[in-house]
């Protein structure tokens, strides 16, 4: 079967035209491989909507168009907290193509940026303008429709947000696991703690047991140790070519501890 | 000295200076490579850079099972798909049974290019679609319907050699290659290890596993073939061995080699994975049957999972050691994981056995090394073939020996190192040795203090003499005797293997050459005289010969 | 957390050429009208530098500058038989065939020069810069170009040479393994330093120090290229690569370079190489093949270094963080040995 590429001026039109048989093309780092392998065929839809490439920052939040690439994030001063994350996605050739929207849909072990967005408590804006929390979106992303943008709070201070990626190949290997932590502080105590793990389940997942331990606490060695011990609770790591489920579980807490220590 | 103070490269010209003439014009100069500008500017033509009008693309349908009987291959739907020019199955291959080493008189043809009746590993090809684009070829591959009857399979080498294990290849019913028509393994016997173990101060044992590895060339394996003038076919190929590929095509297609024009030479990495490819015969066959240029090229996934890897190896080592660090006996049991077919594993084992016990002079050595068939992707050559795996085992083991005797690991090597004039376990005298000097240089660079004796040691001194003697007694045995193979060569089956059901009869091209009266009888115990036979032995259809006939072998 | 440093050592030798012989290589050389030479081979240049090393060997033997030689590979219509580029045989086998071909071509070139200079060919020498002159009398000279043109357009001679190198196939004794495997061996020793993370099992190679004995570094840059790349491959085999991460099971086989693991630029360690040259009796200008053996010492040196660092023996490759971590847990934590 041949491949037919349709270009739509707005994302809404692309959404309308998508149907059940169309495939949306973001930067194509994943889709094009499937096209080449023949596993994606038929209608390929893209959108030239300029809104998709916009980054809008306010004092306490940012809205990032779904078509923004990792390289664009890296060029944006207002997104400094996401620079370490964007830089961790693939090599330079991937980063100039890979989009935020595509990362939200990328299957295991990909989704490093999504892990960060989950920790930040981002909201997903879909083509019609509807918004929903990112964890709701991740629960049924296959049926989510097209994504227009993500909105995410900006950490109030640099040490309130941290990201760590473990990969076997440096500097641009894919994740054995990744961790993002958002630790807003309120007079020394942590309030609104969100910890997310990538490559530890079918989608990025929150480490809720660890979050509960940290919530309301101060970031001190005893607390960190307890959070680390609970890190893998509720996670569902797979076995793959990079690491076994056992290994991922075993080191999840070690790496969470190291990240939290960095953030004290 | 800290690491950063050291030069990244230095030449130790003072070593062996008297054995070298350093005043040459071109040799020893860092001359820039003839082809480097083309390579770094992306202009060197590799096989896939040759453009042909109307090029067709070939892709294979593959087994999803580790082992299965093929009840039926239905290509009808695929043949009707747009852009499909032809679908090949094993019946289209004139001589659908091959092994590279049979060109060297070494081993029985055992592997179909396209399987017709049975598959023995996941990824084994059973049909090849030729279509106007790669995408169309992929679609048509997906439309090929195969009725499989899954069979029991075995993946572990030691499971495979147990009685009752699923048989991978009928010609090797115990899942072991037959060496010299005599034994189910290659033996090395030098002295008497058992007696020496009893006299040793300690015995140290270990088990080592080398993993299967992908050669990972940047350029995946492939070939483009096209009709040339005068009934000839040109083939641009990524092969590492132009005439192996040409001869394999001539043999399997039953075509005179003079009709084949093979061009290669500029290859995007090989590392051993491009020595025994079958892209060339399949691409040429495609060109013959369609009259058009045909490309057969692996994608990365095929390169990694159906491309033959460096085979896994399992080694058991046992050393008899004296308290002063002298190793007096070393025995090996090795299992090469050949995968579903022989390819080059049988040869690698001989190479490996000739290498034992490593670069050391040990008075008693023995080895039993098995080429084992399992239901996995057949293994083939890779950088260090036959040696890398066992060197890993030997040198990891040496570290254990050093610890057991409480010796510096570098000194243990120097103490046991082979020297000029020493007798090696394969019964030839060592010469041109330089292990000791390499050890000394590294010790110096790493700041490891060696004793004066170790510093004074040299490859050119203290070898030979006593150390040149063959053992007075060598313990031999008949373990692992096989029946039904001709003894004249490495593995010649006395009888023709049963023809695969449904396979076309090939009376003029038997899979295994039947015994020729007077020519291929079991060889006498003594070496055959080194004269070319006056009349050629069995004539071969289409195939050419590269290496010596049995009669050319020397001892 | 603790990072533990360890050092591991290994030494190896490596057989050059196809085991048991029986692997011929052939070369044809001829002079073009302007006195440049074409070497026709069926050898394969895989990136290792086959074309370049044979070019230097041809130039050295012909006695002409390397710029005057071009190597053409591989076309079965024009290049004579060669067994192929594998088994570290390329330089050793083909190098010898090229020497033989170049000697024959050189002798015709000298005969042609002798006729022009009206001297005895035995009295002529080449200076490697494109001149042929009478030994001891540099004034009485002719360029290689003029000699070649005289041969082809005046004297009616073909300046050409044929070369072959063959170690005849030998046999193996089934009972003892007695055999004549190869004619020469290359050597290496390697000391690797690692850092092992005792909480994650991660191993970082921090430094490599090696000595490689290669017979003769025919082209030192090409030798370095092999040794550096090969040692990287050895490190990769030691701790990263496999097509079957759960061998002998076939599950989770990698299908791309995101899942097929090999060390990246950020994993590289400085590698301090020393080169020793003990010419091989039958090697071309003493050369052996450095290409294959360079990876081999790294594999055991890495696992020995891991043991030195934390006391865990990794006897099954690759030495993944998981295997190291399991070993650490089994023995209740790191037990540094520090033996080297
Ligand atoms: C070599 C390599 C290395 C990589 N390394 C990493 C890595 O380190 N970390 C990592 O996280 N990922 C990595 N990836 C995966 C991938 O590149 C990234 O996840 C990237 O962000 C995907 O974005 P894309 O725009 O390329 O997606 P595409 O390929 O365009 O699309 C991917 C999926 O998302 C859907 N999609 C895209 N945009 C939208 C949208 N706006 N609305 C709805 N659906 C949409 C597509 O339909 C498709 O299903 C790597 C990939 C490669 C090939």
């Amino acid at each position: 079967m041949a491949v037919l590429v349709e270009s739509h001026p707005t994302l809404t039109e692309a959404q309308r035209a998508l149907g059940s048989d169309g495939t949306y093309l973001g930067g194509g780092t994943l889709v094009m491989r499937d096209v080449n392998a023949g596993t994606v065929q038929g209608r390929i839809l893209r959108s030239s909507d300029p809104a998709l490439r916009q980054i809008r920052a306010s004092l306490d939040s940012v809205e990032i168009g779904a078509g923004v690439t990792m390289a664009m994030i890296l060029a944006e001063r207002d997104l400094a907290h996401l620079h370490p994350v964007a830089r961790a996605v693939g090599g330079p050739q991937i980063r100039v193509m890979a989009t935020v929207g595509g990362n939200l849909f990328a299957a295991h072990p990909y989704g490093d940026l999504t892990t960060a967005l989950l920790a930040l408590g981002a909201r997903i804006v879909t083509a019609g303008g509807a918004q929903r929390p990112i964890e709701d979106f991740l629960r049924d992303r296959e049926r989510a429709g097209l994504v227009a943008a993500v909105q995410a709070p900006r950490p109030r201070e640099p040490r309130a947000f941290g990201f760590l990626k473990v990969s076997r190949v440096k500097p641009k290997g894919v994740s054995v696991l990744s961790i993002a932590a958002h630790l807003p502080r309120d007079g020394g105590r942590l309030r609104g703690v969100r910890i997310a793990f990538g490559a530890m389940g079918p989608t990025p997942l929150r480490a809720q047991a660890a979050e509960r331990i940290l919530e309301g606490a101060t970031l001190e060695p005893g607390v960190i140790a307890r959070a680390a011990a609970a890190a893998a609770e509720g996670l569902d790591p797979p076995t793959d070519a990079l690491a076994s489920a056992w290994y991922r579980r075993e080191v999840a807490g070690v790496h969470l501890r190291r990240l939290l220590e960095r953030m004290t | 000295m800290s690491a950063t103070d050291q030069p990244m490269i230095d030449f130790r010209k003072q070593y062996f200076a008297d054995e070298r003439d350093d005043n040459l014009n071109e040799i020893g100069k860092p001359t820039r490579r003839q082809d480097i500008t083309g390579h770094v500017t992306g202009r060197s033509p590799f096989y896939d850079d040759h453009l042909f009008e109307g090029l067709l693309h070939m892709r294979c349908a593959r087994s999803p099972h580790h082992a299965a009987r093929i009840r039926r291959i239905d290509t009808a739907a695929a043949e009707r798909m747009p852009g499909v020019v032809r679908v090949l199955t094993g019946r289209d291959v004139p001589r659908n049974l091959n092994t590279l080493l049979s060109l060297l008189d070494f081993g029985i043809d055992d592997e179909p290019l396209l399987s017709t009746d049975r598959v023995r590993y996941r990824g084994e090809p059973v049909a090849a679609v030729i279509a106007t684009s790669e995408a169309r070829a992929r679609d048509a591959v997906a439309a090929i319907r195969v009725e499989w009857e899954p069979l029991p399979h075995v993946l572990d080498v030691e499971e495979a050699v147990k009685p009752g294990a699923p048989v991978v290849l009928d010609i090797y019913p115990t899942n072991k290659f037959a060496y010299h028509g005599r034994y189910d393994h290659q033996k090395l016997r030098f002295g008497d290890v058992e007696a020496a173990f009893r006299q040793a101060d300690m015995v140290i044992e270990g088990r080592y596993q080398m993993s299967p590895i992908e050669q990972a060339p940047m350029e995946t394996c492939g070939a483009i073939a096209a009709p040339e003038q005068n009934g000839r076919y040109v083939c641009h190929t990524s092969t590492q061995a132009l005439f192996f590929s040409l001869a394999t095509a001539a043999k399997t297609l039953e075509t005179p080699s003079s009709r084949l024009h093979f061009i290669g030479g500029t290859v995007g990495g090989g590392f051993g994975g491009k020595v025994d490819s079958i892209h060339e015969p399949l691409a040429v066959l495609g060109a013959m049957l369609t009259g058009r240029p045909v490309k057969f090229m692996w994608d990365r996934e095929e390169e990694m999972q159906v491309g033959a890897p460096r085979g896994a190896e399992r080694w058991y080592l046992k050393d008899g050691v004296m308290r002063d660090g002298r190793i007096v006996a070393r025995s090996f049991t090795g299992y090469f994981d050949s995968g579903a077919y022989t390819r080059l594993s049988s040869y690698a084992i001989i190479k490996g056995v000739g290498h034992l016990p490593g670069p050391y002079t040990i008075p008693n050595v023995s080895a039993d090394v098995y080429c084992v068939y399992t239901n996995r992707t057949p293994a083939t050559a890779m950088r260090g073939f036959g040696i890398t795996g066992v060197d890993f085992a030997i040198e990891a083991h040496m570290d254990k020996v050093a610890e057991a005797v409480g010796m510096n690991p570098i000194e243990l090597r120097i103490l046991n190192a082979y020297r000029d004039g020493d007798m090696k376990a394969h019964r030839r005298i060592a010469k041109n040795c330089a292990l000791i000097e390499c050890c000394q240089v590294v010790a110096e660079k790493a700041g490891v203090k060696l004793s004066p004796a170790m510093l004074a040691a040299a490859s050119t001194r203290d070898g030979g003499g006593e150390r040149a003697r063959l053992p007075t007694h060598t313990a031999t045995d008949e373990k692992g005797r096989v029946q039904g193979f001709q003894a004249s060569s490495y593995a010649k089956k006395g009888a023709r293997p049963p023809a695969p059901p449904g396979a076309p009869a090939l009376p003029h091209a038997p899979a295994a050459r039947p015994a020729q009266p007077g020519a291929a009888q079991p060889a006498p115990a003594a070496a055959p005289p080194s004269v070319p036979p006056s009349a050629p032995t069995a004539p071969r259809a289409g195939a050419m010969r590269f290496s010596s006939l049995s009669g050319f072998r020397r001892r | 957390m603790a990072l533990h440093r360890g050092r591991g050592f290994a030494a190896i030798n490596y057989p050059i050429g196809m085991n048991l012989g029986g692997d011929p290589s052939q070369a044809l050389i001829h002079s073009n009208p302007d006195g440049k030479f074409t070497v026709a081979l069926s050898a394969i240049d895989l990136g290792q530098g086959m074309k370049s090393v044979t070019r230097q060997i041809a130039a050295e033997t012909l006695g002409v500058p390397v710029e005057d030689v071009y190597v053409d590979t591989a076309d079965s219509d024009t290049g004579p038989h060669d067994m192929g580029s594998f088994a570290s045989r390329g330089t050793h086998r083909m190098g010898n065939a090229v020497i033989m071909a170049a000697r024959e071509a050189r002798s015709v070139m000298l005969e042609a020069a002798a006729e022009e200079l009206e001297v005895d060919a035995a009295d002529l020498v080449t200076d490697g810069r494109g001149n042929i002159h009478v030994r001891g009398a540099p004034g009485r000279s002719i360029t290689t170009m003029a000699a070649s043109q005289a041969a082809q357009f005046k004297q009616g001679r073909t300046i050409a040479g044929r070369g072959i190198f063959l170690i005849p196939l030998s046999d193996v004794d089934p009972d003892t393994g007695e055999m004549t495997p190869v004619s020469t061996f290359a050597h290496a020793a390697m000391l690797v330093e690692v850092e092992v993370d005792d909480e994650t099992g991660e191993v970082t190679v921090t430094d490599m120090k090696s000595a490689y004995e290669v017979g003769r570094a025919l082209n030192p840059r090409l030798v370095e290229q092999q040794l550096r790349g090969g040692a990287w491959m050895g490190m990769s085999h030691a701790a990263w690569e496999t097509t079957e991460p759960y061998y002998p099971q076939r599950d989770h086989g990698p299908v791309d370079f995101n899942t097929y693991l090999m060390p990246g630029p950020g994993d590289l360690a400085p590698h301090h190489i020393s080169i020793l040259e003990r010419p091989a009796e039958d090697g071309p200008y003493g050369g052996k093949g450095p290409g294959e053996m360079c990876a081999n010492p790294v594999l055991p040196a890495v696992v020995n270094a891991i043991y030195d660092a934390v006391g865990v023996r990794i006897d099954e490759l690759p030495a993944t963080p998981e295997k190291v971590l399991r070993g650490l847990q089994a023995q209740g934590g790191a037990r540094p040995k520090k033996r080297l």
Side-chain angles (χ1 to χ4, degrees):
Chain A
M1 214 185 346
V3 165
L4 193 76
V5 181
E6 297 172 16
S7 195
H8 297 273
T10 67
L11 192 68
T12 324
E13 282 162 89
Q15 174 71 70
R16 223 175 291 130
L18 192 63
S20 58
D21 63 328
T23 303
Y24 186 78
L25 179 78
T29 58
L30 296 171
V31 170
M32 277 315 296
R33 177 176 168 170
D34 292 340
V35 169
N36 290 337
T39 50
V40 162
Q41 302 206 342
R43 293 166 58 237
I44 308 282
L45 289 83
R46 56 185 299 273
S47 172
S48 48
D49 198 335
L52 287 171
R53 313 271 287 180
Q54 273 170 17
I55 300 172
R56 277 193 307 237
S58 68
L59 209 58
D60 53 2
S61 82
V62 283
E63 181 166 312
I64 310 171
V68 167
T69 64
M70 301 301 142
M72 289 165 72
I73 291 178
L74 284 164
E76 176 60 58
R77 231 187 305 155
D78 285 331
L79 297 181
H81 60 293
L82 291 178
H83 287 181
V85 188
R87 201 175 294 114
V89 174
Q93 299 96 321
I94 293 295
R95 292 198 286 270
V96 293
M97 301 299 289
T99 65
V100 172
N103 203 272
L104 288 169
F105 291 87
H108 171 89
Y110 306 130
D112 295 325
L113 186 78
T114 306
T115 304
L117 293 172
L118 177 59
L120 287 167
R123 297 179 69 78
I124 305 299
V125 185
T126 46
Q131 290 191 15
R132 52 203 292 228
I134 186 169
E135 43 271 76
D136 289 359
F137 162 82
L138 288 174
R139 256 192 295 280
D140 66 345
R141 61 183 171 183
E142 310 75 40
R143 286 187 296 279
L146 297 186
V147 172
V150 293
Q151 287 179 352
R154 277 172 86 168
R156 264 173 283 165
E157 44 161 351
R159 65 170 182 160
F161 181 74
F163 176 79
L164 175 154
K165 173 169 168 174
V166 179
S167 65
R168 293 289 323 279
V169 179
K170 294 169 188 66
K172 62 181 199 78
V174 297
S175 280
V176 170
L177 59 83
S178 61
I179 317 175
H182 190 205
L183 308 177
R185 284 176 173 84
D186 184 0
R189 305 230 160 240
L190 307 177
R191 299 273 177 226
V193 171
R194 291 173 65 97
I195 310 278
F197 272 90
M200 291 291 283
T203 68
L205 294 172
R206 281 174 65 184
Q208 285 171 331
E211 287 177 357
R212 276 194 298 273
I213 291 164
L214 294 168
E215 185 66 33
T218 57
L219 211 50
E220 58 178 40
V223 174
I224 291 176
R226 280 194 293 130
E233 255 175 62
L235 302 183
D236 180 17
T239 291
D240 61 17
L242 307 164
S244 71
W246 177 86
Y247 181 76
R248 288 188 156 102
R249 231 174 236 296
E250 211 59 28
V251 299
V254 173
H255 290 294
L256 178 60
R257 195 195 72 223
R258 292 180 185 178
L259 176 63
L260 294 176
E261 281 168 355
R262 243 168 49 192
M263 295 174 73
T264 54
Chain B
M1 198 176 351
S2 85
T4 45
D5 297 339
Q6 289 186 357
M8 293 307 274
I9 185 156
D10 63 356
F11 288 81
R12 302 290 177 118
K13 295 282 183 190
Q14 67 272 33
Y15 287 92
F16 311 112
D18 55 337
E19 297 184 29
R20 261 188 345 258
D21 170 9
D22 283 336
N23 297 313
L24 300 170
N25 287 318
E26 302 293 346
I27 297 299
K29 298 259 154 65
T31 307
R32 185 185 276 194
R33 303 169 54 132
Q34 175 183 301
D35 50 8
I36 198 65
T37 316
H39 280 14
V40 300
T41 57
R43 308 225 168 219
S44 299
F46 294 83
Y47 82 90
D48 193 28
D49 293 315
H50 295 276
L51 304 176
F52 288 88
E53 200 175 332
L55 181 67
L56 301 176
H57 300 259
M58 179 183 281
R59 279 193 68 80
C60 284
R62 301 182 177 282
S63 164
H65 300 288
H66 298 302
R69 206 172 296 291
I70 301 170
R71 288 224 197 85
R72 209 164 83 89
I73 303 176
D74 180 357
T75 59
E79 274 158 19
R80 283 194 303 271
M81 302 213 10
V84 172
V85 177
R86 177 132 192 180
V87 180
L88 308 181
T89 63
R91 285 160 209 273
D92 297 305
V93 185
R95 179 180 166 132
N96 192 23
L97 208 58
N98 181 49
T99 196
L100 182 66
L101 288 174
S102 72
L103 294 174
L104 307 181
D105 252 3
F106 194 113
I108 305 169
D109 284 333
D110 61 9
E111 182 171 2
L113 275 67
L114 297 170
S115 298
T116 52
D117 62 326
R118 217 172 118 181
V119 288
R120 299 174 173 86
Y121 68 96
R122 197 173 70 198
E124 183 161 355
V126 297
V129 171
I130 304 172
T132 50
S133 74
E134 206 205 311
R136 288 184 146 145
R138 281 180 189 270
D139 288 351
V141 163
I144 290 174
R145 297 278 160 264
V146 184
E147 275 177 46
W148 306 103
E149 179 191 328
L151 296 171
H153 64 269
V154 60
L155 294 174
D156 182 82
V157 281
E158 288 180 89
E159 293 299 320
V161 299
K162 284 184 184 155
V167 174
V168 178
L169 276 168
D170 293 339
I171 46 171
Y172 300 112
T174 59
N175 290 334
K176 290 176 274 189
F177 183 79
Y179 278 91
H180 319 287
R182 293 273 287 280
Y183 298 112
D184 64 7
H185 59 286
Q186 177 63 52
K187 291 178 192 284
L188 179 69
R189 298 287 184 270
F190 185 75
D192 186 342
V193 287
E194 293 307 328
F197 286 142
R198 285 192 292 275
Q199 281 151 24
D201 291 332
M202 54 191 111
V203 169
I204 296 152
E205 297 187 65
R207 172 191 186 273
Y208 305 91
Q209 177 72 51
M210 178 74 198
S211 43
I213 287 176
E214 153 66 8
Q215 294 84 2
M218 272 202 268
E219 170 200 55
T220 58
C221 275
I224 302 177
E228 234 182 17
Q229 297 309 301
N230 308 321
R232 300 181 85 214
Y233 294 87
V234 67
C235 180
H236 293 274
T237 152
S238 68
T239 183
Q240 283 182 248
L242 198 74
F243 279 88
F244 267 161
S245 298
L246 192 150
T248 299
K251 170 182 154 187
T252 56
L253 304 180
E254 298 187 331
T255 294
S257 56
S258 54
R259 290 183 62 199
L260 301 175
H261 179 192
F262 273 42
I263 302 174
T266 300
V267 175
F271 305 104
K274 295 172 175 170
V275 176
D276 60 350
S277 51
I278 48 125
H279 297 79
E280 298 84 2
L282 284 177
V284 173
L285 180 63
M288 285 174 163
L289 296 180
T290 63
R292 290 172 63 179
V294 173
K295 172 159 95 177
F296 180 30
M297 178 186 202
W298 276 339
D299 62 20
R300 186 57 66 183
E301 178 169 351
E302 289 174 304
E303 182 72 46
M304 285 188 175
Q305 289 295 320
V306 301
R310 175 201 288 291
E313 296 166 32
R314 187 169 302 161
W315 289 96
Y316 291 87
L317 257 79
K318 184 172 174 185
D319 278 6
V321 186
M322 305 313 286
R323 237 167 249 115
D324 63 5
R326 276 177 304 122
I327 302 168
V328 293
R330 174 170 281 180
S331 79
F332 297 84
T333 304
Y335 301 93
F336 260 65
D337 190 340
S338 181
Y341 298 102
T342 307
R343 298 277 177 100
L344 301 166
S345 295
S346 55
Y347 157 76
I349 285 171
I350 302 238
K351 183 173 175 187
V353 165
H355 176 68
L356 302 181
Y360 305 108
T361 295
I362 298 177
N364 301 282
V365 183
S366 112
D368 292 347
V369 190
Y370 299 85
C371 174
V372 182
Y373 299 97
T374 59
N375 292 106
R376 72 174 69 252
T377 306
T380 192
M382 189 176 174
R383 190 179 210 159
F385 194 32
I387 307 295
T388 304
V390 75
D391 272 355
F392 163 66
I394 290 170
E395 289 301 296
H397 201 68
M398 287 297 280
D399 206 56
K400 293 180 188 172
V401 171
E403 184 177 41
V405 297
M407 222 174 145
N408 172 314
I410 304 183
E411 296 201 337
L412 178 77
R413 265 79 169 197
I414 296 177
L415 176 71
N416 288 286
Y418 75 150
R419 301 170 189 235
D420 290 1
D422 287 0
M423 179 56 68
K424 300 173 81 173
H426 58 79
R427 293 163 193 265
R428 296 293 177 273
I429 293 288
K431 55 180 198 258
N432 197 242
C433 303
L435 191 81
I436 292 173
E437 290 73 11
C438 287
C439 290
Q440 290 165 334
V441 168
V442 168
E444 171 219 305
K445 296 207 301 182
V448 175
K449 288 231 153 31
L450 299 180
S451 71
M454 295 297 171
L455 284 172
S459 294
T460 48
R461 275 203 306 276
D462 303 325
E466 268 301 298
R467 295 161 63 111
R469 293 238 176 90
L470 283 169
T472 45
H473 162 70
T474 287
T476 56
D477 57 80
E478 294 277 299
K479 196 183 86 187
R481 246 350 253 239
V482 293
Q483 304 299 329
F485 291 85
Q486 287 184 24
S488 64
S489 189
Y490 294 101
K492 284 273 169 60
K493 197 71 169 161
R496 201 189 298 185
L506 294 166
H508 54 302
R513 189 168 6 132
Q516 299 285 310
Q521 288 301 322
S530 284
V531 289
S534 51
T537 48
R540 288 172 172 242
M544 69 178 77
R545 194 179 269 297
F546 284 99
S547 194
S548 319
L549 301 165
S550 307
F552 288 167
R553 289 182 206 281
R554 85 205 137 96
R555 292 292 278 218
Chain C
M1 161 181 79
L3 285 179
H4 301 271
R5 289 182 154 273
R7 307 215 292 177
F9 180 81
I12 58 114
N13 66 344
Y14 194 82
I16 300 305
M18 235 174 121
N19 188 262
L20 307 177
D23 57 333
S25 287
Q26 297 184 40
L28 294 176
I29 296 183
H30 72 272
S31 167
N32 299 312
D34 53 359
K36 312 283 184 200
F37 287 84
T38 298
V39 181
L41 310 176
S42 288
I44 308 292
D45 198 317
L46 303 156
Q48 85 278 42
M50 192 69 212
K51 289 179 197 177
S52 304
V53 77
T54 47
R55 184 176 177 222
Q56 280 176 269
I57 290 171
E60 181 74 48
T61 313
L62 286 163
V64 301
V66 77
E67 301 77 40
D68 286 2
V69 178
Y70 186 82
V71 177
D72 181 34
T73 75
D75 182 323
S76 64
D77 276 8
T78 56
H81 173 251
D82 169 41
M83 204 82 162
S85 292
F86 52 85
S88 292
R89 62 179 303 288
T91 296
H92 188 265
R93 304 297 204 252
M94 188 54 91
N96 277 313
V98 167
I99 288 175
M100 182 174 170
R103 281 198 183 128
E104 184 177 348
R106 175 189 166 93
S107 75
V108 186
M109 179 175 75
L110 294 185
E111 279 166 28
E115 196 169 318
E116 294 304 301
L117 295 171
E118 296 180 346
V119 295
D120 187 349
D123 295 333
L124 292 176
V125 291
T126 47
D127 68 356
R129 291 192 295 274
N131 303 300
I132 303 167
H133 61 79
V134 176
R135 189 178 287 106
R140 295 193 63 194
S141 76
I142 180 172
T143 62
T144 50
M145 177 170 161
S148 297
Q149 288 181 331
Q152 292 171 72
F153 299 102
K154 197 168 132 197
Q155 303 170 7
R157 284 182 210 265
T158 304
I159 298 189
R162 304 153 299 166
I164 185 166
F165 186 73
L166 169 66
I167 295 177
L169 191 66
S170 67
D171 228 334
V172 180
D173 186 291
D175 291 294
T176 62
E178 174 173 2
M179 61 173 115
T180 311
V182 284
S183 57
T184 189
F185 288 81
H187 301 87
M190 165 77 63
L191 187 133
V192 166
E193 293 182 15
V194 299
E195 251 171 33
V196 182
D197 183 325
D198 68 3
E199 287 183 314
T200 63
E202 287 164 311
V203 175
T204 309
V205 177
T206 53
D207 190 68
M208 299 199 264
K209 293 180 187 16
S210 65
Y212 286 101
E213 188 277 309
V214 300
R216 160 99 68 175
L218 300 170
N219 180 325
R221 287 260 170 81
L222 291 180
V223 168
E224 181 179 1
Q225 162 201 300
Q226 288 297 311
L227 302 182
R228 237 172 248 300
W232 171 86
M233 188 182 266
M235 168 179 162
S236 186
H237 282 20
W240 278 266
E241 282 186 69
T242 179
T243 51
E244 303 188 25
Y246 301 93
Y247 180 86
Q249 297 313 312
R250 288 206 62 196
D251 311 80
H252 307 294
V255 295
D256 59 27
F257 287 114
N258 276 351
T259 46
Y260 188 78
L261 301 176
M262 300 193 290
D267 299 301
L268 288 185
H271 179 190
H272 307 276
I273 299 172
S274 298
I275 292 175
L276 282 68
E277 299 165 274
R278 184 171 195 196
E281 253 171 41
D282 68 349
Y285 296 97
K288 304 171 182 174
E292 291 191 284
M293 58 113 174
C294 42
N296 292 356
V298 190
L299 287 66
V302 167
V303 299
N304 294 343
I306 294 171
Y307 181 73
D308 194 51
V310 293
V312 171
R313 287 279 182 207
I314 302 295
D315 291 334
E316 295 192 16
L317 292 183
T320 57
E322 168 157 355
K323 287 177 193 159
V324 176
L325 187 61
R326 282 186 191 275
L328 284 162
Q329 290 187 355
Q331 68 183 23
R335 294 196 193 153
K337 300 291 171 189
K338 300 278 177 217
R339 287 186 305 134
L340 249 178

